[in-house]
Amino acid sequence: MTFTQAIDRIGNWPAMVRYALLTGLALAFFLPGIMTVPPMDRDEARFAQASKQMVQTGDIIDIRVQDKPRHKKPAGIYWLQSMSVVIADAEDAIWAYRIPSLVGAVLSVLITAWIGSYLFSPAAGVIAGVLLASSVLLGVEARLAKTDAMLLASILGAIALMLRVGWRPERAPPAPHVAYAFWAILAGGVLLKGPIIFLPVLGLLTALCLIRRDVRWLKELQPLRGFGLFLLIALPWYAAIIIMTDGQFLADSIGKDMIAKVKSGQESHGAPFGFFTALMPVTFWPGSLLILLSFPWIWWNRKRPEILMLLGWFLVVWLVVELTPTKLFHYILPAYPALALLAAAALTDTVRRDGGWWRYLSFTLWALVTTLLAILPLTLGLVPSVLGLLADWGIATLKPEDIAILQATGGLDVGQAPALVGLAVLVAGFLYIFGRDRSARVFATLLVGAWAVSASIFGLTLPGLKTFWVSPAIADAIQPPPGCSRASVVTAGYSEPSLVFLTDRDILLSNGVGAAKHLASMRKCGLAIVESRFRNQFDQTLAETGISATAVGTPITGFNYAKGKTVKLQMFVAAQDQ
């Protein structure tokens, strides 16, 4: 059976069966590692900690990490994470905070499939859903307790409803509640991440108006009543937080966060124009092959209304994020469903032409990316040892203790075997994809190979990199001093938010001076965790306070990936014989 015949047969299945199939596929790609990868620094850990404190305090208006306000994003995602945690009854488990992202990612796959079915055919919808579900970028966001996966679901929901209103050749007009749902979803998106949701929606809306050469259809979106509903949903929290913070929320979220990112590369995340374009073969892998192969077809069919709408959606998002100085990998995510839909339309078109030399160039690029991703589980395990070896050769400037820490880990583990299996399967698929017999088995094989690589990286390799997970090691090692029900903990030199999430929001993040003074003031139950670079400062301040400290436990060593530095920490308690 050819691939086209197989997809057409699936397209003829009942809609619920197709969506159930896509849900299962999405979960197969998204679930590995969601419970076993520790909280990631720094954004995910901050989101999770803020939601954790929201559960603990019951304050659903103000957002805080420890005692510091977190005014970069609205409260929507924190509400969803808090509800997830309460329902799961797992306040200390990071997976509970990731559930909204998982749900958002699955919804994104299903809504993309619906849009593909609405614009083209059920078969195109299935392919678009598969491409998005298997993409690297959505797979990452589905596993992180952040806003982006749920925001994508909101964007797609708004776009689907807008298409239902504004693009209905030979279809009956929708009921008014469709327009009201559109405005409600827009309000939800604004509560998730501010005005970002308007970017792809306006791109598609503009394309729709140009295609129809008419703006009168906008009345069917119920703009007056709909906007009133939008304000009714979104405005109360914004008004409350602005009043509560005396306007500081606007200054922080708009002035210090949004405008700062537009003006310059914020927090060392600047990159030149073309950054997202260059990364697309990796971040949209494995579907990036079909995206690349579809470019000639998109050009040949660029005047088709459906193609123009998708291009308007994609190009507006792509151009804005490429022109923004601050560039983070996930910024391009709202454009990826449009690419998946374009590739699906190309693949299911009954009239296709060979792309010639572009076809072979696309294949070569994708083969290179595939090989790199397949061996990534092996290279991640070897990174620490390689860095240590480079230091031995004089290529990297590391201290002897750093080299010892790095060389204490690394190597090939049997857990990485699925990656090798995935590589072998993918290479086998390469041999057939350009042949005459493009059977359904070939594409199924490629999909299974992609899953093997993904599951290996997220489910086995990342959780197994123990040297990279410093915060869990510290949290596991903390024990209350004798006679104390809990320790009053202070750190010197290690202040990652993941440690706050894994321990206690009252943990003090300080330096050597602060750690020594805290230990002096909390002699009985104090516990200081001191990074080696702050040891002299810690000892000198202790001497000035007239007390001494006793080292407890074994030193904790590892690699702080958030800072790109090795760390060595020792725990101390105040000597009790003073």
Side-chain angles (χ1 to χ4, degrees):
M1 183 187 300
T2 67
F3 175 74
T4 303
Q5 290 171 336
I7 291 297
D8 285 342
R9 179 173 294 183
I10 294 175
N12 291 328
W13 292 353
M16 293 303 296
V17 175
R18 298 198 307 271
Y19 294 138
L21 178 67
L22 285 172
T23 300
L25 179 72
L27 290 174
F29 271 96
F30 300 154
L31 283 177
I34 200 167
M35 299 184 71
T36 54
V37 174
M40 300 288 292
D41 287 309
R42 295 178 173 135
D43 273 356
E44 182 189 36
R46 287 171 178 155
F47 274 103
Q49 179 60 28
S51 298
K52 188 177 186 179
Q53 290 181 209
M54 187 174 282
V55 172
Q56 293 170 341
T57 64
D59 186 348
I60 64 171
I61 304 299
D62 200 13
I63 306 164
R64 290 183 175 269
V65 173
Q66 294 189 290
D67 60 345
K68 297 179 180 178
R70 181 167 171 79
H71 292 159
K72 290 187 175 184
K73 300 293 184 293
I77 193 64
Y78 305 104
W79 295 341
L80 294 175
Q81 290 180 359
S82 297
M83 286 189 290
S84 172
V85 168
V86 170
I87 293 171
D89 191 22
E91 185 178 297
D92 297 323
I94 188 61
W95 63 264
Y97 298 83
R98 292 169 173 166
I99 295 300
S101 294
L102 175 65
V103 172
V106 173
L107 285 175
S108 298
V109 170
L110 298 180
I111 300 172
T112 298
W114 183 91
I115 294 173
S117 178
Y118 188 79
L119 290 179
F120 302 108
S121 67
V126 170
I127 294 175
V130 169
L131 293 179
L132 191 63
S134 59
S135 65
V136 168
L137 185 55
L138 186 59
V140 170
E141 293 302 326
R143 294 173 171 87
L144 293 178
K146 293 165 61 243
T147 58
D148 298 284
M150 187 56 74
L151 176 67
L152 181 64
S154 301
I155 290 171
L156 289 168
I159 285 176
L161 292 170
M162 187 172 64
L163 286 171
R164 182 69 182 86
V165 173
W167 185 256
R168 52 175 196 277
E170 301 179 2
R171 295 185 178 99
H177 71 264
V178 174
Y180 296 140
F182 166 77
W183 288 102
I185 290 178
L186 282 182
V190 169
L191 284 171
L192 283 170
K193 205 170 182 177
I196 301 300
I197 189 173
F198 291 111
L199 190 60
V201 171
L202 286 175
L204 185 59
L205 186 146
T206 302
L208 262 173
C209 291
L210 292 174
I211 291 168
R212 295 186 56 161
R213 298 180 182 179
D214 180 18
V215 295
R216 289 174 296 179
W217 71 272
L218 294 175
K219 293 181 180 179
E220 297 178 15
L221 283 175
Q222 308 291 334
L224 294 180
R225 293 180 180 179
F227 188 66
L229 177 63
F230 172 88
L231 292 178
L232 185 65
I233 296 172
L235 192 57
W237 178 82
Y238 278 96
I241 192 65
I242 290 170
I243 294 170
M244 179 180 289
T245 62
D246 196 23
Q248 190 61 41
F249 171 80
L250 289 179
D252 290 343
S253 62
I254 297 179
K256 294 182 180 180
D257 188 49
M258 184 181 299
I259 294 179
K261 289 177 179 177
V262 173
K263 289 175 62 177
S264 61
Q266 196 180 43
E267 299 176 356
S268 302
H269 294 309
F273 187 92
F275 174 79
F276 295 107
T277 305
L279 282 180
M280 189 274 290
V282 177
T283 54
F284 211 136
W285 185 90
S288 52
L289 173 61
L290 297 180
I291 298 295
L292 291 169
L293 290 173
S294 69
F295 283 171
W297 182 91
I298 294 170
W299 175 254
W300 297 324
N301 293 272
R302 64 190 181 277
K303 294 183 179 180
R304 284 179 56 181
E306 299 88 348
I307 305 304
L308 282 174
M309 285 190 293
L310 295 174
L311 286 175
W313 169 2
F314 169 76
L315 290 174
V316 168
V317 177
W318 170 79
L319 189 60
V320 169
V321 298
E322 286 285 22
L323 289 174
T324 301
T326 300
K327 290 180 172 63
L328 295 172
F329 294 104
H330 60 267
Y331 283 5
I332 193 65
L333 183 60
Y336 275 9
L339 281 182
L341 290 162
L342 287 167
L347 197 60
T348 55
D349 192 359
T350 55
V351 180
R352 293 198 300 268
R353 287 181 283 180
D354 198 316
W357 62 270
W358 177 256
R359 186 171 175 228
Y360 295 97
L361 178 63
S362 301
F363 170 74
T364 302
L365 177 60
W366 185 75
L368 176 61
V369 170
T370 299
T371 303
L372 292 176
L373 285 174
I375 65 174
L376 183 60
L378 309 181
T379 58
L380 281 176
L382 293 172
V383 161
S385 294
V386 170
L387 289 176
L389 187 62
L390 292 176
D392 285 341
W393 292 346
I395 298 175
T397 56
L398 295 173
K399 296 180 180 180
E401 57 267 29
D402 295 334
I403 297 174
I405 292 171
L406 289 170
Q407 290 180 331
T409 188
L412 175 63
D413 185 86
V414 69
Q416 280 91 52
L420 299 179
V421 174
L423 177 61
V425 172
L426 287 166
V427 169
F430 294 166
L431 302 177
Y432 291 94
I433 198 168
F434 285 98
R436 294 181 179 179
D437 179 26
R438 300 184 195 177
S439 68
R441 290 190 299 273
V442 170
F443 287 88
T445 301
L446 291 173
L447 197 60
V448 170
W451 174 85
V453 174
S454 174
S456 175
I457 292 174
F458 291 112
L460 296 171
T461 302
L462 288 179
L465 294 176
K466 301 301 184 183
T467 301
F468 284 49
W469 308 124
V470 179
S471 292
I474 296 173
D476 290 341
I478 292 176
Q479 297 292 333
C484 300
S485 60
R486 62 188 294 271
S488 179
V489 182
V490 62
T491 66
Y494 186 83
S495 57
E496 298 305 327
S498 59
L499 182 60
V500 179
F501 175 81
L502 291 169
T503 54
D504 195 310
R505 68 175 179 176
D506 294 328
I507 187 173
L508 299 177
L509 309 176
S510 187
N511 52 25
V513 174
K517 290 182 177 180
H518 179 78
L519 205 61
S521 64
M522 301 290 294
R523 291 193 182 188
K524 182 179 180 182
C525 296
L527 178 67
I529 304 171
V530 183
E531 209 274 320
S532 59
R533 296 174 179 85
F534 289 78
R535 181 64 185 275
N536 290 338
Q537 191 183 68
F538 175 74
D539 291 340
Q540 290 174 5
T541 307
L542 272 182
E544 294 171 3
T545 62
I547 69 167
S548 59
T550 302
V552 294
T554 58
I556 297 171
T557 60
F559 185 76
N560 184 356
Y561 58 87
K563 289 188 175 181
K565 295 180 180 179
T566 58
V567 291
K568 182 177 182 180
L569 303 111
Q570 179 64 60
M571 295 187 181
F572 295 92
V573 296
Q576 300 300 315
D577 56 350
Q578 303 176 73

